[in-house]
Amino acid sequence: MNQNVLSVTTLVVIFLAYIVVRQFILKRRKFNIDNNPKSAKIDLIANLVHVIVIIGLLIFIWIGLIQRWNDGIHNYFNLILLIVLTILCFVRFWNKFNNRNN
């Protein structure tokens, strides 16, 4: 199997598994939010899973871009999009962290 197809397939499977697990955690939290002191732990787990998956996805995309760049495929549009995506993700995490602590 081609390495690119295998990488993209792995990425899609991991991201779909992440979506399923996150939805399960969020639905479980919705039922337990009123009278369960463990809902804070469930929120923490959901947020940690979200951060880990998004950072892993960004690293995966950056590695692919660097490999294509080293092969001589210089696509500046993808580079700019990836820089903007990375900055937006970090700004979003920063804002959520600051809003959570206020």
Side-chain angles (χ1 to χ4, degrees), residues 4-65:
N4 292 334
V5 174
L6 184 62
S7 297
V8 171
T9 305
T10 304
L11 178 67
V12 169
V13 167
I14 289 172
F15 201 71
L16 288 175
Y18 156 70
I19 290 172
V20 168
V21 169
R22 182 156 172 88
Q23 290 300 321
F24 174 74
I25 290 172
L26 291 177
K27 285 187 184 213
R28 186 170 178 186
R29 183 182 64 101
K30 188 187 299 184
F31 290 123
N32 295 335
I33 200 163
D34 293 331
N35 54 2
N36 193 354
K38 293 184 180 181
S39 64
K41 284 185 180 181
I42 294 173
D43 282 343
L44 178 65
I45 291 171
N47 290 335
L48 285 176
V49 167
H50 182 71
V51 167
I52 290 169
V53 168
I54 295 299
I55 289 174
L57 181 65
L58 285 172
I59 290 171
F60 180 81
I61 293 172
W62 272 105
I63 289 173
L65 182 73

